[in-house]
Amino acid sequence: MKYLERLKNLKAYKTETTPCKVKLSSNESPFDLSDKLKERISQEIKKINFQRYPDPHATRLKEVIANFVNSEENLNITPENLVLGNGSDELIHLLITVIGDLKNPVAYPIPTFPMYQVSSDVVGRPKVEFELDENFQLTKEEIDKALSKNPDAFFFASPNNPTGNSFDRDLIKYVIDKGVFTVIDEAYIHFSDKESFIKEALQYDNVVVLRTMSKVGLASIRLGYLIAKKEVAEEINKARLPFNVTYPTQVIGEIVLTEGLDELNQQIKAVREERTRVMSEISKIKHIKVYPSDANFFLMKVPNGDLLHKQLIEKGVLVRNMSHLPKLENCLRVSIGKKEENDEFIKAMFEIFKNG
Ligand SMILES: *Cc1c(COP(=O)(O)O)cnc(C)c1O
């Protein structure tokens, strides 16, 4: 095993797998695609030549994604501004592998999405982890401390996972203006009214934006994309594995982002409305702190995280236990589900906390 020595101290990515009737643990969309859309997908999948490699540039899918982004943000991006990934996880891994020098650190605030740490550890890259304040917001002081360690890149998930809040725009701009490579991971931007960083990504060669289809109904097909200036996207594309986006994924992505757009947008709207309702109900329970959210989930601080996590499972509701992570003592993360699922979660909470 001596060749695997370097992996000895790595921990595998953990996810909640306890089978439960109501699954509110992975920030997926609660809505499956309609039968009509699935029917269209089947028709198109049948036409695939399964013995052939997919288009390595995914040209058609990139055009569709560019249109999708432009229609939402009133922009003018083209396929040349995009790098596609097998989920945005793959793009995170790619960036951590190619940006700057592997000997120099990457920086990110904690608590945040674990992949920045996991990928850094896999490639043996040093990390600069800096703290968010008590509201999970960035501070200039901590950013300055991180900058003093000369990282080659900063990763900001905004809205942040698992805290749900967006980061202070001016402080991200502050890092960008220092000329350090800055990744803004906008996995949850569809659930937020805050301004995206795409404009900055198209303007500066040290800024890229990451997006994913995973939180808006397509976690199964693994499709993420990076938005950057043409020159930047072109360089990063050289390091991407050639056929990382499968033929079926390309076909499904094209259909859903054209014929399925209305459906997708309705689902996003429904999740946003339910978020308001669930959070306001849970806020009524004494001794629970509900943190604000711009995402399709929210974080709550409870008297005893492990106990409540277990009690909810007994009532058939699975949420994500964050209790054991630094700065997240007794915190649980709850994804927004369908109305009926949210009702079951709310009912379970009121039963456990005896109506408040
Ligand atoms: C879920 C998530 C991702 C990963 O998404 P995939 O496209 O499914 O790999 C990236 N960043 C953040 C912040 C996430 O929460």
Side-chain angles (χ1 to χ4, degrees), residues 87-89 92 113 116 157 161 185 187-188 212 214-215 222-224:
S88 53
D89 282 350
I92 291 167
F113 187 54
Y116 315 136
N161 176 10
D185 181 345
Y188 299 99
T212 174
S214 293
K215 314 295 153 76
R222 310 301 301 130
L223 178 59

Side-chain angles (χ1 to χ4, degrees), residues 75-110:
L75 290 164
N76 199 13
I77 72 163
T78 69
E80 287 121 322
N81 295 114
L82 297 172
V83 181
L84 304 191
N86 190 290
S88 53
D89 282 350
E90 189 191 31
L91 296 169
I92 291 167
H93 195 76
L94 180 60
L95 290 170
I96 285 182
T97 312
V98 304
I99 299 302
D101 193 314
L102 280 179
K103 288 198 289 294
N104 298 334
V106 296
Y108 50 84
I110 46 169

Side-chain angles (χ1 to χ4, degrees), residues 174-203:
Y174 175 73
V175 172
I176 292 172
D177 290 340
K178 296 278 177 190
V180 185
F181 195 87
T182 307
V183 181
I184 300 108
D185 181 345
E186 297 186 346
Y188 299 99
I189 197 80
H190 296 101
F191 305 97
S192 165
D193 294 322
K194 304 271 158 52
E195 203 183 332
S196 157
F197 271 89
I198 294 185
K199 288 202 182 73
E200 284 74 12
L202 298 176
Q203 184 182 356

